[in-house]
Amino acid sequence: MPRCRPALLTAAIISLAARAQGPDTLIFATTHESDSVVYQYAADYLKQLCAGIHQRCELQSLPGRRAEAMLADGSITGEMGRVRDYGRKHPQYLRIREPFVQTRTYVFTPARQPAIDTWEELTRQASTVSYKRGIHTYQTRLAALGRWITPHDVQTVPACLQMVLAGRDQACIYDDGSLSAASRAMLEHGRTGKPLEELDLYIYLGEDQHALARAINAAASRLHARGLKGELRKRYFTSP
């Protein structure tokens, strides 16, 4: 009987582990809107990731709290686009080791005001700040600055930018991955500073998805070695 090569045997085991998860299509959620940069990037990445484990997957855009509740009750397989701190809040979930994308955080201000390049400058130059609802990192950051800043959470990034353009808030915090063509056009009517920070975004799986986590971790490592993330960044990201 001919021997199977170790690589083929490993691939077969990973494929079987992924297929053992149940439904024909695994549903992943992201808080990014379907016309945003990260959604398009994530959909492309997920397609290639799941092809590596011979599994059909689908990405859906959902509000953050709804996605969180659906992952908790098993209605979805995982979430794409959560930061590392999300795992501290939900230690029961399984985080894939490789971040699948990195985004940059910016502050948008009215054109007549100076650009804001750091969190410290934000506390000095703005007293009211908008951010997209459900973004845990921004929520905790702004809560820590509560003495100096009044935060307002809004439904979308365009709504956040509009709060500034309408004079309702003095600044909007957003990440470049959340931008769409419409919101990118809105940036031309205000001022954007340098990146405040860079955020690694991860895939999280439900607490019972151990076999799938092993399969996806192996597939993600192969994609990383192939240089896929660099290819996708050049394809989808441009400067704000």
Side-chain angles (χ1 to χ4, degrees):
M1 180 177 178
R3 293 183 179 180
C4 292
R5 289 185 296 175
L8 293 176
L9 182 59
T10 301
I13 292 172
I14 291 172
S15 176
L16 289 172
R19 290 176 182 274
Q21 298 311 304
D24 292 335
T25 301
L26 303 182
I27 305 300
F28 290 78
T30 180
T31 61
H32 289 81
E33 285 88 8
S34 57
D35 59 352
S36 68
V37 171
V38 161
Y39 183 94
Q40 296 164 12
Y41 178 114
D44 198 338
Y45 182 90
L46 183 66
K47 179 180 178 181
Q48 300 194 52
L49 181 69
C50 290
I53 59 174
H54 307 286
Q55 175 66 56
R56 185 184 307 161
C57 298
E58 179 183 323
L59 183 63
Q60 296 182 359
S61 176
L62 294 173
R65 292 170 187 169
R66 185 185 304 174
E68 188 173 328
M70 291 177 71
L71 186 59
D73 67 17
S75 301
I76 58 176
T77 300
E79 288 191 82
M80 296 187 72
R82 296 291 194 175
V83 296
R84 183 180 286 268
D85 279 349
Y86 189 70
R88 296 189 179 98
K89 182 182 177 184
H90 299 287
Q92 72 275 28
Y93 297 149
L94 309 175
R95 179 174 58 81
I96 300 305
R97 290 189 297 267
E98 287 280 347
F100 73 94
V101 69
Q102 185 180 76
T103 64
R104 295 178 177 89
T105 298
Y106 294 88
V107 177
F108 177 73
T109 56
R112 65 184 179 276
Q113 294 183 11
I116 294 176
D117 299 331
T118 66
W119 289 104
E120 291 73 21
E121 288 181 6
L122 180 67
T123 62
R124 295 196 300 267
Q125 298 183 33
S127 59
T128 58
V129 178
S130 290
Y131 70 100
K132 181 182 172 183
R133 184 174 302 137
I135 306 299
H136 178 69
T137 297
Y138 299 159
Q139 180 181 342
T140 54
R141 274 281 198 177
L142 292 172
L145 303 174
R147 286 180 54 193
W148 298 277
I149 289 177
T150 300
H152 298 134
D153 61 343
V154 295
Q155 191 65 34
T156 64
V157 170
C160 181
L161 299 174
Q162 185 58 39
M163 291 288 280
V164 173
L165 295 176
R168 297 178 182 176
D169 276 322
Q170 295 173 315
C172 162
I173 297 177
Y174 71 93
D175 68 87
D176 57 353
S178 295
L179 294 175
S180 62
S183 55
R184 194 176 294 279
M186 295 173 72
L187 295 179
E188 298 176 2
H189 301 287
R191 189 183 297 272
T192 301
K194 298 176 182 178
L196 272 65
E197 62 182 342
E198 295 179 336
L199 294 175
D200 288 329
L201 301 185
Y202 294 86
I203 299 172
Y204 282 85
L205 303 178
E207 58 185 320
D208 298 325
Q209 301 284 2
H210 292 279
L212 183 62
R214 289 192 293 272
I216 288 181
N217 272 315
S221 294
R222 294 194 296 272
L223 294 180
H224 177 72
R226 212 183 79 196
L228 177 66
K229 288 189 289 186
E231 294 174 13
L232 295 182
R233 174 160 286 279
K234 290 179 181 178
R235 186 179 307 168
Y236 292 107
F237 279 82
T238 58
S239 58

